Amino acid sequence: MESQIEKKSNGQAVESAGEAAYFEPPADVQETNEALVISFDVPGALAEDVETEVRDSQLTLTAKVRPVDGKWRPLYGEVRAGHFRRQFRLGQQLDQSRITAKLEDGVLTVILPKVEAAKPRRIRIQVN
Amino acid sequence: MFATRWPWLFEDSLLRPEELFRVFAPYLGTPSRRSGGAYPPVNVFDDGQRFLVRAEVPGVKKDSLEVTAQGDQLTIRGERPAPARGEEGRYHRRECQYGPFRRTVTLPEPIDAEKIEATYRAGVLEVVLPRTPEAQPRKISVN
């Protein structure tokens, strides 16, 4: 059905309806002197199926998970089929042009460096 | 109890207040991906001859996984090490689970422990367990 297909900016056609559900992956957010480090649990997602995007100070993570081969009949399930999506609003203290991400063993780690002005500094005290 | 937990929500300078919504989202009916409290969560499938047990263990190294089977039971052991944190690091949010785990799954029929195959990829452990020859479904021809 044509109404269910929309063109993304890169020209790739994607299904916009009838798609599997999206769930929010659990995340750890750790702050160091240099950066904010966010790690997401996205088990089953491969590098080519993960997208991290920053737009209007919003970080969006999308990770698609490929379904199990159709020959397997589900007997019992504790995890619902679907993809991952989660968004975080970013403050002005992060350098949005230097964000990096890596995927390892189903964990996506995004490193958001702080701008210089937001890094802690030691102030030297002058003694007269 | 809440009184002691509130302050950390507001000292968060790098994430904006809208983020607070997330704290309440579980109470607002957001569908949960996982059900059941045991770790790791598993899904079990069947193709007629074999069972497939799929366990989600993100952050676990392949070498730390141990898979054993006996009778109709499969046991998965492993450990997800807590991340090395810099001395200056502090957490704004901790939702991921860490530490050692052990889970035993009982299958509906006995399995052939000699022919089990396990693969690990992208944080997912998949174990394929054939039924024992006695438990294989058989077609009986009608004369």
Side-chain angles (χ1 to χ4, degrees), chain A residues 57-128:
Chain A
S57 294
Q58 182 149 270
L59 171 73
T60 303
L61 154 87
T62 311
K64 300 228 173 180
V65 178
R66 296 173 191 199
V68 173
D69 191 303
K71 73 179 179 191
W72 293 107
R73 194 168 49 85
L75 278 189
Y76 170 76
E78 294 172 347
V79 177
R80 289 164 64 174
H83 308 302
F84 298 103
R85 178 177 290 151
R86 189 153 181 184
Q87 294 186 313
F88 279 95
R89 297 289 301 176
L90 305 178
Q92 296 305 313
Q93 294 148 305
L94 299 173
D95 184 348
Q96 299 185 9
S97 64
R98 291 195 296 133
I99 296 171
T100 56
K102 67 166 183 173
L103 180 70
E104 196 179 359
D105 293 325
V107 179
L108 178 74
T109 305
V110 183
I111 297 173
L112 307 109
K114 290 180 183 176
V115 294
E116 282 303 318
K119 290 180 186 170
R121 238 163 309 206
R122 222 175 259 284
I123 311 295
R124 193 182 287 275
I125 299 171
Q126 295 202 342
V127 182
N128 290 325

Side-chain angles (χ1 to χ4, degrees), chain A residues 9-53:
Chain A
S9 54
N10 60 9
Q12 203 184 356
V14 291
E15 278 189 355
S16 62
E19 215 172 333
Y22 282 86
F23 297 97
E24 290 201 337
D28 280 0
V29 181
Q30 189 187 14
E31 183 184 344
T32 68
N33 285 342
E34 302 294 317
L36 195 68
V37 181
I38 311 184
S39 53
F40 301 91
D41 279 358
V42 289
L46 306 178
E48 59 263 39
D49 302 322
V50 172
E51 218 173 87
T52 42
E53 183 190 58

Side-chain angles (χ1 to χ4, degrees), chain B residues 17-107:
Chain B
E18 299 95 287
E19 267 291 297
L20 285 176
F21 172 76
R22 256 170 239 302
V23 174
F24 300 103
Y27 310 105
L28 297 173
T30 306
S32 172
R33 183 166 173 271
R34 271 178 59 181
S35 62
Y39 191 90
V42 296
N43 281 17
V44 183
F45 302 84
D46 180 8
D47 77 346
Q49 276 81 46
R50 304 168 297 171
F51 298 106
L52 166 65
V53 176
R54 208 170 172 276
E56 293 196 344
V57 286
V60 170
K61 293 272 168 249
K62 192 178 113 182
D63 294 342
S64 101
L65 284 167
E66 192 188 307
V67 177
T68 52
Q70 192 178 21
D72 58 357
Q73 292 195 320
L74 166 73
T75 298
I76 297 163
R77 285 188 191 83
E79 178 163 10
R80 179 180 188 180
R85 52 183 298 184
E87 279 180 26
E88 79 281 14
R90 73 183 175 111
Y91 279 94
H92 289 255
R93 192 176 290 278
R94 284 200 85 161
E95 298 167 354
C96 303
Q97 296 184 14
Y98 299 93
F101 55 84
R102 175 182 174 278
R103 182 147 190 212
T104 297
V105 176
T106 302
L107 294 151

